[in-house]
Structure formats: structure tokens, C-alpha cells
Amino acid sequence: MARDFRVLEERRRIATELPWSHAVLRALELASYAALPRHDDAWVAARLGLPGDEVRACLEALSRAGLVRWRKGRYVATAETVDMTRGAAEPRQRLKAHWLDVAASRQRRGDPGLYSYNLFSVARRDLERLRALHVRYFHELRQIVSDSRDPDCVALVAMQLFELGASGSLRRGPAAPGGSLGRQRRRRARSG
């Protein structure tokens, strides 16, 4: 039991200290990676927009943690998972901030993608409805990802929904993932 906990904590540490490690893991699940004659760090790096040394550091950490294995000239993801919904809040906050930073950086560079926002005024009761909608959307998104077969790309969804100027006023739900959703208003909504 104590060993299992240490393994889990090590895997969580890798996820927060090397956040790209789990993107690398996702790249190893691609059908096009499995079709390669042998592993190629540069191929993985190109799929994620990363430098090769970052990919190498991630693969070494993933291997030490038992999240990948070397088989027939390439890495294979194990069935192990890392539950980041539990444990200390601060590492989870860092991980979320990392992926929001990645999304912002890619948007600033003009990379292809769907980058949206909606700035609006709304009744607090409707903000709670939006929070519930946001959580339902996130759960449905995760179900689609779970059901997806023969993956051929790695994608990021970075969502946030919060009240400006108020700390903690939006009720925290069991899986408040983040994002921005809302009804358009002619005069008071601003979207992009």
C-alpha cells in the first residue's frame, strides 16, 4: 500500500514538474506513431511543437515511473493512469496554469485552433447555470475522448469560467474544469 502511494505521488510529481510528459504520452498513442519503423524523438516533438530535449526528458521520466515501456524499437504507453483530481491543490493549480499558458502562447503565435472568449454581464443565478453547463460540457468532452478509437492527433482544450473582480464567488463544483460560455447580449456581451 505504501509503495503504491509512493508510485502515485511520483507520477503526480512528473505530471506537474514535466507537464508536457502527458502530451508525450498521448503522442505515443497515435496510430501514426505505432506505424513508425522505430521511435523518433523528433517525430514526437513535431507532433507537439516541442524541442527534442523536452521530449527526451519526458520519456525518461515516464519510463522511470512505469508509464511507458520500450517494446520492439518504440515506446508503448502502459495502461497505468495518473489521477490528478486528488492530492494537494497547488500542483493541480500549476498544471492548469501551464496548459492555459500553452493555449495563450499558441493563440499569440497565430497557431491554428479555436480560440474563443465571451465577456458578459449576467445574473448570478444564471452564472450558476453556466457553471453547470460548463461542467456537463467538460464531462461530455471527456466521454467522447474516452470513446475515440484510432487517435491521429493530440489536442488541448483549455477552458475557464469565472467572475471578474470577485474571488471565489463562483461555486466550485466536483469537476469545475474551466472555460467560457455564455448567452450573447447585444449591448453587454463581448466575444472573440
Side-chain angles (χ1 to χ4, degrees), residues 78-189:
T78 65
E80 303 294 324
T81 60
V82 179
D83 181 4
M84 292 301 295
T85 63
R86 292 179 169 52
E90 192 274 331
R92 288 194 312 273
Q93 293 301 99
R94 273 197 335 253
L95 197 55
K96 289 176 184 180
H98 167 79
W99 291 114
L100 289 172
D101 289 346
V102 168
S105 172
R106 300 288 172 101
Q107 189 277 330
R108 279 191 295 273
R109 284 191 333 210
D111 287 4
L114 179 61
Y115 304 96
S116 306
Y117 75 93
N118 190 341
L119 181 61
F120 52 87
S121 58
V122 66
R124 192 164 320 284
R125 69 184 172 281
D126 294 326
L127 185 59
E128 287 299 324
R129 291 175 54 211
L130 292 172
R131 188 203 70 78
L133 175 64
H134 182 89
V135 171
R136 285 193 312 272
Y137 166 76
F138 188 75
H139 287 296
E140 187 170 334
L141 179 147
R142 291 187 65 170
Q143 188 61 54
I144 290 169
V145 169
S146 177
D147 294 344
S148 184
R149 299 294 172 251
D150 302 320
D152 56 3
C153 64
V154 179
L156 169 64
V157 173
M159 301 170 32
Q160 57 281 330
L161 172 64
F162 56 93
E163 183 179 346
L164 295 176
S167 179
S169 63
L170 186 61
R171 183 174 64 83
R172 293 176 189 254
S180 64
L181 304 168
R183 180 172 61 99
Q184 294 291 348
R185 289 192 180 184
R186 286 188 191 161
R187 291 179 293 141
R188 296 189 295 180

Side-chain angles (χ1 to χ4, degrees), residues 39-69:
H39 172 78
D40 181 1
D41 285 352
W43 185 94
V44 175
R47 295 305 165 286
L48 302 174
L50 287 179
D53 59 339
E54 179 91 15
V55 170
R56 173 67 16 220
C58 290
L59 286 168
E60 288 170 3
L62 291 167
S63 184
R64 280 193 314 272
L67 292 168
V68 297
R69 298 210 191 307

